[in-house]
Every structure is written in C-alpha cells, then in structure tokens.
Amino acid sequence: MIRKIFIFGIFFSSFLPCAGQISVGLQGGNNLSKMSFTNNQDYRFTEIDNQQGFIGGLVVQFLGEKHAGVQAEINYSQRGWIENDTTTSEYFRYKNKMDFIEMPILTHINIVGGKLRGLFNIGPYIAYALNRKITTQNVDTGAEETENYTFQSEKDNRFDFGLMAGGGMEYRFAFGKLSVEARYTVGLGDVNKEKIYQSEVSQFRIITVLLRYTIPLNRQQANTETADE
C-alpha cells in the first residue's frame, strides 16, 4: 500500500516541467487534529477533543514561474482525536492516535519580491495509516490502559484523502529558503466503515504549523531571484 503512494508521486512528478527552479528540503512541525463525526444523532460520545502530534518529511518545490509552481511532500504525520464518554456513571476518555504516511501535491505561490515573501499553498493529499493506538482512561480514578489497534478491512479504511490550504512567510538566503506556514486540512475520506456505533461520516480536521528549509539545486538562478525586488 505504501509503495502505491510512492509510485503515485513518481508518476505525478513525470508531468512536472524540467525548466525553472527546483528546491529540496525538510520540514517539521505540529498537528492539532480532530475527528469530525456527522449524520448520526445517536453517536454516544458527547464531546470530541483535539489530539497533538508530530509531522515532518521531505519537500520538493518546482517553480516553473517566478512566483508560482508545485510543491510535493512526503510526510510522516501523527493524527488522532479524543472521545469523552460522559453517558455512563463513570467518566471515560478514549485517546486515539494514528500514524500516517501522507503525500500532498500543492500549488505553491510566493507573493511580492525580495528576500521576505508571503507564501500560499493549496491542493489535495493522499495518506495511508501505518498504525493506531487507543488509550482508555478512567477520568474519575486516573487509571488508563493502552492497546495496539488491529485494522480490519471490513471495519476500517486505512486510506485517507482530502484538501489542504496554508499560508505563511519565507525568507530567502543566498543558500536556501526558511519558511513558516500555518495549514488547515479537511479530510474527505471516511475512516470508519462500520456504522453501528460510529457516525455515518468520520473525517479528519487538522491544524498544522510547519517550519521548512529548502535548498535550490540551481544555485545561480536562486541567487538571481533572491536579489530580484
């Protein structure tokens, strides 16, 4: 399954223009994720909270124009959500943590000229769940237990897809670009296939903050664009 994601990336990159500036780099940051449950009034958990997690990976930028191009990423993304069950005599909290391999293909736009520029990224992503852990906590007593969840094809959908959009700032050095970006992700996949207890639709909503550093492979052109006002 993971191999299919990498094959998709190689296939897509074959359509990208060879001309223009190509930059590669790394990024890392924090996810604040939450599950959106809809269309089932009998869903038994009365409150859904955010779960924090790490995100980081490889970035490749193809700038075919001075201020626009394509940004492809391969990220390790920790997502999850917290379900609070207050419908029983005891107060239970269920912490769901999932690790994904995620690949966005984004339209990248940088705004204004010079060394300090605004940036805007928007586009689709696909992702594949590597694992899932569930921690059950009795809030009243403080006792908790963590177990590794076993995916079942008839109950779980390990593939996810959706849209993401982000904005921020980048500073251009002679030897690379340092960027800070805030991003919002809307999952369009349905994580839970089984609809007996869960809602009809279960999709991720994620707020992400990223710090990214990229290095241009065409150093001469990068120096020209850095000096361009």
Side-chain angles (χ1 to χ4, degrees):
M1 296 298 183
I2 299 176
R3 184 175 62 181
K4 291 181 180 179
I5 295 178
F6 284 94
I7 292 175
F8 174 82
I10 294 173
F11 176 78
F12 184 90
S13 63
S14 66
F15 291 93
L16 295 172
C18 296
Q21 181 185 322
I22 301 176
S23 300
V24 298
L26 298 173
Q27 65 180 4
N30 186 73
N31 277 336
L32 188 64
S33 57
K34 190 175 184 178
M35 186 65 72
S36 175
F37 295 108
T38 58
N39 299 336
N40 188 343
Q41 299 301 320
D42 296 326
Y43 183 64
R44 65 190 181 94
F45 294 99
T46 59
E47 183 180 349
I48 308 297
D49 289 336
N50 293 300
Q51 181 77 267
Q52 293 193 51
F54 171 80
I55 180 172
L58 175 67
V59 181
V60 181
Q61 287 183 349
F62 303 84
L63 297 182
E65 303 293 337
K66 183 183 296 185
H67 294 286
V70 176
Q71 179 169 303
E73 305 172 6
I74 298 178
N75 297 317
Y76 167 76
S77 178
Q78 294 180 329
R79 307 181 186 179
W81 69 97
I82 299 174
E83 305 179 17
N84 298 298
D85 185 1
T86 58
T87 62
T88 62
S89 58
E90 293 183 289
Y91 182 5
F92 285 96
R93 178 178 292 139
Y94 301 88
K95 302 177 181 179
N96 294 267
K97 295 183 178 180
M98 301 180 70
D99 295 336
F100 282 83
I101 292 294
E102 169 191 281
M103 198 179 92
I105 301 293
L106 308 173
T107 297
H108 172 81
I109 299 172
N110 61 79
I111 306 167
V112 191
K115 294 184 177 181
L116 183 63
R117 303 188 181 195
L119 67 88
F120 182 70
N121 292 319
I122 186 170
Y125 75 89
I126 58 173
Y128 181 76
L130 302 175
N131 55 62
R132 177 179 176 182
K133 293 183 179 180
I134 302 176
T135 300
T136 303
Q137 180 186 36
N138 187 319
V139 179
D140 297 324
T141 65
E144 65 178 37
E145 180 181 359
T146 300
E147 63 177 7
N148 292 318
Y149 181 84
T150 301
F151 291 106
Q152 301 178 49
S153 59
E154 67 275 9
K155 294 175 59 177
D156 306 297
N157 187 2
R158 299 179 71 171
F159 275 101
D160 187 33
F161 66 96
L163 298 172
M164 54 179 60
M169 302 293 295
E170 69 178 29
Y171 188 85
R172 299 192 168 198
F173 301 92
F175 44 84
K177 296 184 291 187
L178 181 65
S179 305
V180 177
E181 180 185 350
R183 182 179 292 179
Y184 186 69
T185 298
V186 176
L188 299 178
D190 194 358
V191 174
N192 296 311
K193 293 181 181 179
E194 189 177 46
K195 307 303 180 184
I196 298 176
Y197 300 109
Q198 302 284 13
S199 84
E200 290 301 315
V201 179
S202 48
Q203 299 172 327
F204 277 108
R205 302 290 184 263
I206 308 169
I207 297 173
T208 304
V209 177
L210 290 167
L211 181 65
R212 176 169 53 247
Y213 189 79
T214 55
I215 299 174
L217 299 184
N218 187 331
R219 185 64 56 85
Q220 183 176 357
Q221 182 175 354
N223 292 337
T224 301
E225 290 197 0
T226 301
D228 179 23
E229 299 293 336

